[in-house]
Amino acid sequence: MNKVLVLSLICLISIRGFEIDFSLLLQTGSESNDAVQAVYDLLNDLKTSNIEAQGLADEKNISDEEIGQARIAALSKVNELNQKAWASAKARREQIGIEYREATDYIAWATQRLADIDRRSVELQELRCFSNGLFVRAIKQHNDALGVIRILKNDLSGYLTGQPSSLVEVNVQNVSEKLKQYSQLFNQDAMTKFAQLAAEQASGNAELHALGQDEGSLSDRQPGHNIGQLVYNALSDLEDQLKGSLANLEANEIAAYYQLADWLADTESEVAHLNDEIQRKTQLQDKLVVQEQAALAVQAKANSVLKDSQNAINAATASLQELRDLYETELNRRNEENAIIDEVIHIFKQQVLEMANQTSFGKK
């Protein structure tokens, strides 16, 4: 641009020294005419050169744009694949982390479950021992009560058959007192019956020394039965009740032992399963630790490759933008130069014509 301006100024200065008509200069074939034509041609050549250069620049810009866009598109596809590879590596590492935490949670739960089973087993064993003690105590009480009833029935049996007996007479109150210590073993109806018999005996409404006398006032008394017989029957009922209660105690105790045995068998199987699973999960954790390290390395590599591909896209984009900026700069420069050349040509023509007019006027 500076060269053009300098050359244009030189041309203008040179033309100011000519005192001839511009049209005559172009027709005479003189050196002055050649000089003017040379300057004019030079200016036109400069503009033509700029136009041609701009045409080449336009073609190069189109080519650079196509090449740059194609390169960015290719790099973007590579970057997309790298992005998927990185996402896959990241997902794999995260999955390994999830599996490791699940294994850890299971081991913690299984360990606690084993501790609960041990604690429960101890509690049940202690409870079973305590229950067994109560069972033995209940058996003894029932047997003691049955022993007392058998003695009383034996005494009453002798009395009722007229054989010598340790009982001079049947005293219901004494019988009731002897059984009172075992009252928790009898139902309420049985003890109520003895109370009624004792009350009737105390009222004097019953004959105790002979069979076949009036049966008294009890609603369940049968004809020919005296108080002694009724007491004997009541003792037999108590004996049957105690035997049934004793059988229930034994059945319940056996059922409780079976339940405990079943529970122990079930928990033994569960304990074996839990121990196997803890061992398996622990081994899995060891493998997952190794796999996680490998997955971290793969993810780091994928991340590095992804960054490189992104940097390549950025570099290609920046390079294309530099070419665009250079094209715009050169385009603006050439347009500015062409505008200046047009202005110089315009001024050049005006000055030559002006000098030509002055020369023509002087000749006149």
Side-chain angles (χ1 to χ4, degrees):
M1 177 60 67
N2 291 333
K3 292 181 180 180
V4 175
L5 290 176
V6 172
L7 181 57
S8 299
L9 291 174
I10 291 174
C11 291
L12 290 174
I13 293 172
S14 299
I15 293 171
R16 286 181 182 277
F18 299 145
E19 295 181 357
I20 55 176
D21 191 322
F22 179 70
S23 61
L24 295 176
L25 287 172
L26 296 177
Q27 296 175 4
T28 59
S30 64
E31 292 181 1
S32 297
N33 181 49
D34 292 340
V36 172
Q37 185 64 45
V39 171
Y40 184 72
D41 291 341
L42 177 60
L43 292 173
N44 284 315
D45 288 343
L46 287 173
K47 183 176 181 180
T48 300
S49 177
N50 270 349
I51 293 174
E52 291 175 351
Q54 186 58 46
L56 294 175
D58 290 341
E59 293 179 1
K60 183 177 183 300
N61 180 64
I62 294 173
S63 177
D64 289 343
E65 188 71 25
E66 291 177 352
I67 294 173
Q69 290 292 354
R71 187 164 186 267
I72 291 173
L75 291 173
S76 296
K77 290 182 179 179
V78 173
N79 186 69
E80 183 178 352
L81 293 176
N82 290 337
Q83 178 72 33
K84 291 180 179 179
W86 175 83
S88 177
K90 180 174 179 290
R92 175 54 183 158
R93 182 190 61 79
E94 291 176 347
Q95 180 60 34
I96 291 174
I98 292 174
E99 292 177 7
Y100 188 90
R101 287 191 295 274
E102 288 177 348
T104 300
D105 292 343
Y106 181 86
I107 291 173
W109 173 83
T111 302
Q112 182 60 46
R113 175 62 179 163
L114 289 173
D116 291 341
I117 290 175
D118 288 341
R119 177 181 54 78
R120 182 60 177 165
S121 177
V122 172
E123 290 176 353
L124 289 176
Q125 294 287 357
E126 292 177 350
L127 182 62
R128 186 67 262 156
C129 290
F130 178 75
S131 177
N132 186 64
L134 294 179
F135 171 72
V136 172
R137 179 181 177 184
I139 291 294
K140 182 178 185 305
Q141 289 177 339
H142 278 69
N143 287 330
D144 290 346
L146 286 172
V148 172
I149 290 174
R150 281 193 292 270
I151 292 174
L152 293 174
K153 285 182 66 179
N154 184 62
D155 290 340
L156 283 173
S157 177
Y159 172 79
L160 294 174
T161 58
Q163 298 177 1
S165 171
S166 59
L167 291 177
V168 176
E169 65 179 13
V170 177
N171 191 325
V172 181
Q173 186 64 35
N174 289 338
V175 172
S176 179
E177 288 296 328
K178 289 182 179 180
L179 295 176
K180 185 178 293 184
Q181 59 178 320
Y182 305 105
S183 61
Q184 73 276 9
L185 303 178
F186 309 136
N187 59 43
Q188 187 62 36
D189 290 342
M191 297 307 297
T192 300
K193 183 180 293 186
F194 276 104
Q196 291 175 345
L197 288 172
E200 185 173 351
Q201 183 183 38
S203 66
N205 293 328
E207 176 61 46
L208 300 177
H209 300 293
L211 292 171
Q213 295 185 359
D214 293 338
E215 61 269 20
S217 62
L218 287 178
S219 61
D220 61 347
R221 189 176 299 178
Q222 298 298 322
H225 288 181
N226 63 4
I227 291 295
Q229 184 65 53
L230 293 174
V231 171
Y232 185 90
N233 292 342
L235 288 174
S236 295
D237 291 341
L238 285 179
E239 185 178 24
D240 292 340
Q241 177 193 334
L242 286 176
K243 289 180 179 180
S245 177
L246 185 59
N248 289 333
L249 282 175
E250 293 175 347
N252 291 337
E253 186 69 10
I254 292 173
Y257 270 114
Y258 273 119
Q259 290 177 354
L260 177 60
D262 290 340
W263 185 86
L264 290 175
D266 292 340
T267 54
E268 182 178 357
S269 176
E270 183 180 1
V271 167
H273 172 73
L274 290 174
N275 285 324
D276 289 342
E277 283 298 295
I278 289 175
Q279 182 179 4
R280 189 177 69 84
K281 294 291 185 180
T282 302
Q283 293 173 349
L284 175 61
Q285 281 186 320
D286 294 338
K287 294 179 181 178
L288 290 174
V289 169
V290 177
Q291 292 178 8
E292 185 176 28
Q293 295 302 316
L296 284 172
V298 171
Q299 183 181 351
K301 179 62 177 178
N303 187 55
S304 176
V305 172
L306 177 61
K307 287 183 178 179
D308 289 344
S309 63
Q310 185 61 55
N311 290 336
I313 292 175
N314 296 338
T317 303
S319 177
L320 180 58
Q321 189 59 46
E322 288 179 2
L323 292 175
R324 290 170 178 170
D325 294 341
L326 179 60
Y327 169 77
E328 290 294 329
T329 300
E330 291 297 307
L331 174 63
N332 294 333
R333 180 182 65 78
R334 292 188 182 98
N335 288 337
E336 184 180 351
E337 288 179 357
N338 289 338
I340 294 174
I341 291 173
D342 289 340
E343 182 66 23
V344 170
I345 290 174
H346 177 69
I347 295 172
F348 175 73
K349 287 181 178 181
Q350 285 184 338
Q351 289 180 350
V352 171
L353 289 174
E354 183 181 347
M355 288 186 291
N357 289 334
Q358 290 176 357
T359 302
S360 176
F361 181 78
K363 289 181 180 181
K364 292 179 179 179

